[in-house]
């Protein structure tokens, strides 16, 4: 609700500033004759209906400006992206970074992988986890990635209780292991 009110105040404030800027532009460009401008200024001084309207508008603009100054200077509550769950005992918030680290831990259990990176996105069906890895050239890539997908999916669902809709494994490269030579002693 507060954000809606702030947006409405910002709209009103912007419209008033827009009208004031046009008034200053028209006045500075001498498009309004001097006699008419001085008559309007005279009305503000001596006709109370003009003065009261100007005072009310000025107070409203001043209050809105003070509100925006307070919002700007108030320390922000920078929120870390998280996954929120509600239980009978209260709310649980798990950061996306935590789920990424858990994914890396589970993916690291798969032999033949290195240089793992994870990215987690949240959608309606659950979590979408993307694992980027480099594999050795000795293992079957389909078997290795299928094992990694199953391990990551079950581990994340078990630890966090959040359903995983997809685990995508991106094999960025392969690394050939150095051949081992046996020296012959004669």
């Amino acid at each position: 609700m507060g954000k809606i009110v702030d947006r409405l105040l910002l709209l009103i404030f912007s419209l008033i500033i827009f009208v004031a800027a046009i008034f200053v532009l028209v006045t500075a460009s001498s498009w309004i004759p001097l006699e008419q401008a001085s008559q309007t200024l005279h009305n503000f001084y001596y006709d109370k209906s003009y003065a009261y309207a100007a005072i009310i508008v000025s107070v409203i603009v001043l209050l809105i400006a003070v509100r925006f100054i307070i919002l700007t200077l108030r320390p922000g509550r920078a929120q870390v992206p998280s996954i929120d769950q509600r239980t009978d005992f209260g709310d649980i918030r798990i950061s996306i970074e935590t789920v990424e680290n858990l994914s890396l831990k589970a993916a690291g259990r798969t032999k033949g992988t290195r240089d793992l990176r994870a990215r987690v996105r949240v959608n309606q069906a659950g979590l979408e986890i993307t694992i980027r890895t480099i594999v050795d050239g000795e293992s079957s890539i389909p078997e290795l990635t299928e094992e990694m997908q199953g391990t990551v999916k079950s581990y994340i669902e078990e630890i966090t209780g959040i359903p995983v809709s997809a685990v995508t494994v991106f094999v960025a490269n392969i690394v050939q292991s150095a051949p081992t030579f046996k020296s012959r002693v004669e």
Side-chain angles (χ1 to χ4, degrees), residues 85 94 155-164:
Q85 292 180 320
I94 302 172
Y155 186 73
I156 295 299
E157 288 178 343
E158 177 185 332
I159 296 295
T160 65
I162 302 168
V164 175

Side-chain angles (χ1 to χ4, degrees), residues 69-126:
I69 290 170
I70 290 170
L71 283 177
T72 303
L73 296 178
R74 181 175 60 184
R77 297 180 215 139
Q79 292 211 356
V80 176
S82 65
I83 303 159
D84 301 335
Q85 292 180 320
R86 183 163 294 241
T87 66
D88 294 338
F89 302 110
D91 294 336
I92 299 172
R93 296 182 65 210
I94 302 172
S95 72
I96 297 292
E97 184 179 359
T98 300
V99 177
E100 287 174 351
N101 289 334
L102 289 170
S103 300
L104 291 175
K105 182 178 179 182
R109 294 178 180 170
T110 307
K111 291 186 176 155
T113 62
R114 51 174 88 158
D115 192 31
L116 293 164
R117 294 185 189 147
R119 189 179 77 210
V120 175
R121 288 189 299 177
V122 181
N123 66 18
Q124 297 289 4

Side-chain angles (χ1 to χ4, degrees), residues 116-171:
L116 293 164
R117 294 185 189 147
R119 189 179 77 210
V120 175
R121 288 189 299 177
V122 181
N123 66 18
Q124 297 289 4
L127 301 176
E128 289 181 3
I129 301 171
T130 303
I131 306 286
R132 181 193 177 279
T133 186
I134 295 176
V135 299
D136 65 11
E138 305 297 318
S139 305
S140 167
I141 293 176
E143 290 174 9
L144 186 132
T145 54
E146 189 175 321
E147 177 188 344
M148 185 183 296
Q149 287 172 317
T151 303
V152 170
K153 180 176 175 26
S154 63
Y155 186 73
I156 295 299
E157 288 178 343
E158 177 185 332
I159 296 295
T160 65
I162 302 168
V164 175
S165 63
V167 177
T168 304
V169 177
F170 173 68
V171 178

Side-chain angles (χ1 to χ4, degrees), residues 18-71:
F18 179 77
V19 169
I22 289 190
F23 177 75
V24 169
L25 179 66
V26 167
T27 306
S29 300
S30 301
W31 291 348
I32 298 176
L34 182 60
E35 297 82 26
Q36 188 178 1
S38 74
Q39 179 61 36
T40 305
L41 190 59
H42 182 269
N43 288 341
F44 277 117
Y45 274 101
Y46 296 109
D47 188 357
K48 295 303 178 193
S49 63
Y50 280 96
Y52 291 143
I55 289 170
I56 290 172
V57 168
S58 297
V59 167
I60 290 172
V61 169
L62 183 65
L63 291 174
I64 293 173
V66 168
R67 168 75 177 151
F68 288 139
I69 290 170
I70 290 170
L71 283 177

